[in-house]
Each structure stands twice: as C-alpha cells, then as structure tokens.
Amino acid sequence: MSILEILKYPDLFLKTKAKPVSKMDEGIKRLISDMVDTMYFAKGIGLAATQVGVDKRVAVLDVPGEEDYQRGKNLIVIINPEIVVHEGEIKYEEGCLSVPGFTANVKRFENVTVRALDKDGKGMEIKAEGLLAIALQHEIDHLDGVLFIDRLSKLKRDIIKRKIKKAIEDGKKRL
Ligand code: QAP
Ligand code: CO
C-alpha cells in the first residue's frame, strides 16, 4: 500500500483528459488500492486518477450518507464512468483535495445515473441524488481535466484564482 502525491492547482497535469481503461490488470488494481488509501489519508470523500498524476479513467469515492460516517461503508470505485441520465439542477459549496482550503458554490445536475465498470471490471449503474450525485460529477470532471473552479462564472473564477495565487505566494514567504 502506498500514499500517492496529490497534485495541486495550478499543476497543468490537472487539465489532462484521462484515457479509458482497456483491461483490468494488476497495475489498475494497484492504482485503485493506492487511490483508496490516499483518499482516506487526505480525509477526502472522492479522488480521481488525474489528481495523482495518472491519465486513466478511474475514480474512488466514499460519500457519507444519512448515518454516521464509517470509513469504507460507502466506498465506490468507478472505471470509465459516463453520465447516462441527468435531471434537475442543484448548487453546492464544493471543495477539492487539489484546491485545498478553498470552496465555491458550483451548479450541477441534481440527479444522475452513472454507468461504469466496478473494481472487478463488471458493468454497473449508479442512480444517485444529493451529495453522491455531486461527487460523481466532480470526479468525472477531473477525468476530463476540469476543476470545480472552471465551472464558476469568469468573474468568480478570476477572484478565486487570485486568492489561491496569493495564498501560494504567502505560503512561500513563510518557508
Ligand atoms: C469532491 O472533495 C467533492 O479544501 C471531493 O482543505 C466535492 O474530498 C465531492 C478537502 C464536493 C462532493 C462535494 C478539501 C479536504 C476534500 C479541502 C474532497 C481541504 C481538505 C475535498
Ligand atoms: Co476534486
């Protein structure tokens, strides 16, 4: 098991469009296992391969439900995910392990059905609403090289980008 390095904005690799996984080999199994460990280590609820520098369409999620959060209880692995049905609109204050310390309100579909392969390469469909629906769209965006800040209006995007840039500069001064 290994903890992988999570790339942070403005790392250009985060703009990479990931490629479909063509076969479930040991490399993919290892990647999934390391991504799950990395997501829990970083205290995230979702992580896409793009965020750990791998251009393959793999993401892991563990989105808490109504019950108390129990690690692993809602763990989902999605490979080559596709939104096949979507409905409604919802705004939610999102964050991202690749943009630590910043959040913004992002507009998403309220309900989605996602078709994907599971960790064993078996086809499946997830019908999701609420936070899980948002998380699935956020992770699929990563696989297309899109960050939540890219979904903001130009004005809000410019403001948050300037704040992030300033935070990075201030961080450097304290080194
Ligand atoms: C994606 O996000 C997501 O800023 C997963 O300092 C976002 O795990 C799913 C995190 C919104 C659903 C809704 C962010 C941790 C984790 C931070 C995350 C931070 C530490 C974000
Ligand atoms: Co993210």
PDB file of all heavy atoms in Angstrom, residues 40 45 62-75 131:
ATOM      1  N   TYR A  40      -8.353   8.329   1.864  1.00  0.00           N
ATOM      2  CA  TYR A  40      -8.596   8.294   3.317  1.00  0.00           C
ATOM      3  C   TYR A  40      -7.511   9.051   4.074  1.00  0.00           C
ATOM      4  O   TYR A  40      -7.804   9.774   5.030  1.00  0.00           O
ATOM      5  CB  TYR A  40      -8.704   6.850   3.814  1.00  0.00           C
ATOM      6  CG  TYR A  40      -9.965   6.151   3.354  1.00  0.00           C
ATOM      7  CD1 TYR A  40      -9.926   4.852   2.850  1.00  0.00           C
ATOM      8  CD2 TYR A  40     -11.194   6.803   3.424  1.00  0.00           C
ATOM      9  CE1 TYR A  40     -11.076   4.216   2.431  1.00  0.00           C
ATOM     10  CE2 TYR A  40     -12.356   6.173   3.002  1.00  0.00           C
ATOM     11  CZ  TYR A  40     -12.291   4.878   2.501  1.00  0.00           C
ATOM     12  OH  TYR A  40     -13.431   4.253   2.080  1.00  0.00           O
ATOM     13  N   ILE A  45     -13.450  12.753   0.272  1.00  0.00           N
ATOM     14  CA  ILE A  45     -14.590  11.866   0.007  1.00  0.00           C
ATOM     15  C   ILE A  45     -14.606  11.425  -1.451  1.00  0.00           C
ATOM     16  O   ILE A  45     -15.471  10.665  -1.873  1.00  0.00           O
ATOM     17  CB  ILE A  45     -15.938  12.514   0.401  1.00  0.00           C
ATOM     18  CG1 ILE A  45     -16.192  13.820  -0.368  1.00  0.00           C
ATOM     19  CG2 ILE A  45     -15.983  12.784   1.901  1.00  0.00           C
ATOM     20  CD1 ILE A  45     -17.628  14.310  -0.225  1.00  0.00           C
ATOM     21  N   ASP A  62     -16.058   7.926  -1.344  1.00  0.00           N
ATOM     22  CA  ASP A  62     -16.693   7.404  -0.132  1.00  0.00           C
ATOM     23  C   ASP A  62     -17.486   8.553   0.469  1.00  0.00           C
ATOM     24  O   ASP A  62     -16.987   9.306   1.295  1.00  0.00           O
ATOM     25  CB  ASP A  62     -15.655   6.844   0.856  1.00  0.00           C
ATOM     26  CG  ASP A  62     -16.326   6.037   1.961  1.00  0.00           C
ATOM     27  OD1 ASP A  62     -17.575   6.113   2.077  1.00  0.00           O
ATOM     28  OD2 ASP A  62     -15.619   5.341   2.708  1.00  0.00           O
ATOM     29  N   VAL A  63     -18.697   8.692  -0.020  1.00  0.00           N
ATOM     30  CA  VAL A  63     -19.549   9.824   0.345  1.00  0.00           C
ATOM     31  C   VAL A  63     -20.461   9.422   1.494  1.00  0.00           C
ATOM     32  O   VAL A  63     -21.210   8.453   1.372  1.00  0.00           O
ATOM     33  CB  VAL A  63     -20.386  10.285  -0.877  1.00  0.00           C
ATOM     34  CG1 VAL A  63     -21.345  11.392  -0.488  1.00  0.00           C
ATOM     35  CG2 VAL A  63     -19.461  10.734  -2.009  1.00  0.00           C
ATOM     36  N   PRO A  64     -20.365  10.133   2.615  1.00  0.00           N
ATOM     37  CA  PRO A  64     -21.202   9.789   3.756  1.00  0.00           C
ATOM     38  C   PRO A  64     -22.682   9.931   3.432  1.00  0.00           C
ATOM     39  O   PRO A  64     -23.082  10.845   2.722  1.00  0.00           O
ATOM     40  CB  PRO A  64     -20.772  10.781   4.838  1.00  0.00           C
ATOM     41  CG  PRO A  64     -20.043  11.879   4.139  1.00  0.00           C
ATOM     42  CD  PRO A  64     -19.513  11.309   2.875  1.00  0.00           C
ATOM     43  N   GLY A  65     -23.483   9.023   3.950  1.00  0.00           N
ATOM     44  CA  GLY A  65     -24.935   9.086   3.759  1.00  0.00           C
ATOM     45  C   GLY A  65     -25.583   9.749   4.959  1.00  0.00           C
ATOM     46  O   GLY A  65     -24.967  10.592   5.602  1.00  0.00           O
ATOM     47  N   GLU A  66     -26.794   9.361   5.278  1.00  0.00           N
ATOM     48  CA  GLU A  66     -27.516   9.933   6.422  1.00  0.00           C
ATOM     49  C   GLU A  66     -26.863   9.506   7.736  1.00  0.00           C
ATOM     50  O   GLU A  66     -26.716  10.285   8.662  1.00  0.00           O
ATOM     51  CB  GLU A  66     -28.975   9.454   6.419  1.00  0.00           C
ATOM     52  CG  GLU A  66     -29.715   9.722   5.130  1.00  0.00           C
ATOM     53  CD  GLU A  66     -30.091  11.180   4.950  1.00  0.00           C
ATOM     54  OE1 GLU A  66     -29.255  11.953   4.413  1.00  0.00           O
ATOM     55  OE2 GLU A  66     -31.208  11.545   5.345  1.00  0.00           O
ATOM     56  N   GLU A  67     -26.474   8.220   7.786  1.00  0.00           N
ATOM     57  CA  GLU A  67     -25.909   7.632   9.006  1.00  0.00           C
ATOM     58  C   GLU A  67     -24.574   8.283   9.364  1.00  0.00           C
ATOM     59  O   GLU A  67     -24.022   9.047   8.616  1.00  0.00           O
ATOM     60  CB  GLU A  67     -25.671   6.118   8.858  1.00  0.00           C
ATOM     61  CG  GLU A  67     -26.219   5.462   7.607  1.00  0.00           C
ATOM     62  CD  GLU A  67     -25.576   5.910   6.308  1.00  0.00           C
ATOM     63  OE1 GLU A  67     -24.332   5.911   6.260  1.00  0.00           O
ATOM     64  OE2 GLU A  67     -26.287   6.258   5.359  1.00  0.00           O
ATOM     65  N   ASP A  68     -24.048   7.932  10.517  1.00  0.00           N
ATOM     66  CA  ASP A  68     -22.728   8.404  10.920  1.00  0.00           C
ATOM     67  C   ASP A  68     -21.704   7.868   9.928  1.00  0.00           C
ATOM     68  O   ASP A  68     -21.852   6.766   9.428  1.00  0.00           O
ATOM     69  CB  ASP A  68     -22.372   7.889  12.321  1.00  0.00           C
ATOM     70  CG  ASP A  68     -23.308   8.469  13.371  1.00  0.00           C
ATOM     71  OD1 ASP A  68     -23.967   9.480  13.079  1.00  0.00           O
ATOM     72  OD2 ASP A  68     -23.381   7.900  14.465  1.00  0.00           O
ATOM     73  N   TYR A  69     -20.674   8.673   9.701  1.00  0.00           N
ATOM     74  CA  TYR A  69     -19.662   8.289   8.733  1.00  0.00           C
ATOM     75  C   TYR A  69     -18.844   7.101   9.226  1.00  0.00           C
ATOM     76  O   TYR A  69     -18.285   7.109  10.310  1.00  0.00           O
ATOM     77  CB  TYR A  69     -18.723   9.463   8.456  1.00  0.00           C
ATOM     78  CG  TYR A  69     -17.643   9.129   7.465  1.00  0.00           C
ATOM     79  CD1 TYR A  69     -17.948   8.927   6.131  1.00  0.00           C
ATOM     80  CD2 TYR A  69     -16.326   8.991   7.872  1.00  0.00           C
ATOM     81  CE1 TYR A  69     -16.970   8.610   5.222  1.00  0.00           C
ATOM     82  CE2 TYR A  69     -15.327   8.671   6.967  1.00  0.00           C
ATOM     83  CZ  TYR A  69     -15.660   8.484   5.634  1.00  0.00           C
ATOM     84  OH  TYR A  69     -14.689   8.157   4.738  1.00  0.00           O
ATOM     85  N   GLN A  70     -18.819   6.067   8.421  1.00  0.00           N
ATOM     86  CA  GLN A  70     -17.976   4.905   8.706  1.00  0.00           C
ATOM     87  C   GLN A  70     -17.129   4.642   7.484  1.00  0.00           C
ATOM     88  O   GLN A  70     -17.653   4.338   6.413  1.00  0.00           O
ATOM     89  CB  GLN A  70     -18.841   3.673   8.932  1.00  0.00           C
ATOM     90  CG  GLN A  70     -19.419   3.536  10.315  1.00  0.00           C
ATOM     91  CD  GLN A  70     -20.150   2.210  10.414  1.00  0.00           C
ATOM     92  OE1 GLN A  70     -19.591   1.158  10.112  1.00  0.00           O
ATOM     93  NE2 GLN A  70     -21.410   2.255  10.771  1.00  0.00           N
ATOM     94  N   ARG A  71     -15.827   4.762   7.664  1.00  0.00           N
ATOM     95  CA  ARG A  71     -14.903   4.564   6.539  1.00  0.00           C
ATOM     96  C   ARG A  71     -15.152   3.241   5.821  1.00  0.00           C
ATOM     97  O   ARG A  71     -15.276   2.194   6.446  1.00  0.00           O
ATOM     98  CB  ARG A  71     -13.470   4.622   7.068  1.00  0.00           C
ATOM     99  CG  ARG A  71     -12.440   4.285   6.032  1.00  0.00           C
ATOM    100  CD  ARG A  71     -11.060   4.438   6.604  1.00  0.00           C
ATOM    101  NE  ARG A  71     -10.755   5.850   6.829  1.00  0.00           N
ATOM    102  CZ  ARG A  71      -9.529   6.300   7.085  1.00  0.00           C
ATOM    103  NH1 ARG A  71      -8.526   5.461   7.151  1.00  0.00           N
ATOM    104  NH2 ARG A  71      -9.318   7.579   7.268  1.00  0.00           N
ATOM    105  N   GLY A  72     -15.237   3.333   4.501  1.00  0.00           N
ATOM    106  CA  GLY A  72     -15.365   2.115   3.704  1.00  0.00           C
ATOM    107  C   GLY A  72     -16.799   1.673   3.466  1.00  0.00           C
ATOM    108  O   GLY A  72     -17.067   0.879   2.575  1.00  0.00           O
ATOM    109  N   LYS A  73     -17.726   2.220   4.254  1.00  0.00           N
ATOM    110  CA  LYS A  73     -19.114   1.768   4.171  1.00  0.00           C
ATOM    111  C   LYS A  73     -19.728   2.105   2.809  1.00  0.00           C
ATOM    112  O   LYS A  73     -20.492   1.320   2.253  1.00  0.00           O
ATOM    113  CB  LYS A  73     -19.920   2.438   5.275  1.00  0.00           C
ATOM    114  CG  LYS A  73     -21.232   1.769   5.561  1.00  0.00           C
ATOM    115  CD  LYS A  73     -21.753   2.133   6.941  1.00  0.00           C
ATOM    116  CE  LYS A  73     -23.187   1.733   7.103  1.00  0.00           C
ATOM    117  NZ  LYS A  73     -24.114   2.767   6.621  1.00  0.00           N
ATOM    118  N   ASN A  74     -19.383   3.291   2.293  1.00  0.00           N
ATOM    119  CA  ASN A  74     -19.956   3.724   1.015  1.00  0.00           C
ATOM    120  C   ASN A  74     -18.899   3.817  -0.078  1.00  0.00           C
ATOM    121  O   ASN A  74     -19.030   4.608  -1.005  1.00  0.00           O
ATOM    122  CB  ASN A  74     -20.640   5.076   1.199  1.00  0.00           C
ATOM    123  CG  ASN A  74     -21.773   5.027   2.206  1.00  0.00           C
ATOM    124  OD1 ASN A  74     -22.696   4.234   2.070  1.00  0.00           O
ATOM    125  ND2 ASN A  74     -21.697   5.850   3.229  1.00  0.00           N
ATOM    126  N   LEU A  75     -17.847   3.036   0.044  1.00  0.00           N
ATOM    127  CA  LEU A  75     -16.754   3.101  -0.925  1.00  0.00           C
ATOM    128  C   LEU A  75     -17.224   2.651  -2.309  1.00  0.00           C
ATOM    129  O   LEU A  75     -17.827   1.592  -2.449  1.00  0.00           O
ATOM    130  CB  LEU A  75     -15.576   2.230  -0.465  1.00  0.00           C
ATOM    131  CG  LEU A  75     -14.365   2.206  -1.385  1.00  0.00           C
ATOM    132  CD1 LEU A  75     -13.731   3.596  -1.503  1.00  0.00           C
ATOM    133  CD2 LEU A  75     -13.328   1.206  -0.901  1.00  0.00           C
ATOM    134  N   LEU A 131     -25.557  14.590  -2.349  1.00  0.00           N
ATOM    135  CA  LEU A 131     -24.106  14.725  -2.305  1.00  0.00           C
ATOM    136  C   LEU A 131     -23.393  13.714  -3.200  1.00  0.00           C
ATOM    137  O   LEU A 131     -22.391  14.040  -3.842  1.00  0.00           O
ATOM    138  CB  LEU A 131     -23.614  14.601  -0.850  1.00  0.00           C
ATOM    139  CG  LEU A 131     -22.141  14.921  -0.612  1.00  0.00           C
ATOM    140  CD1 LEU A 131     -21.796  16.335  -1.074  1.00  0.00           C
ATOM    141  CD2 LEU A 131     -21.784  14.752   0.866  1.00  0.00           C
TER     142      LEU A 131
END
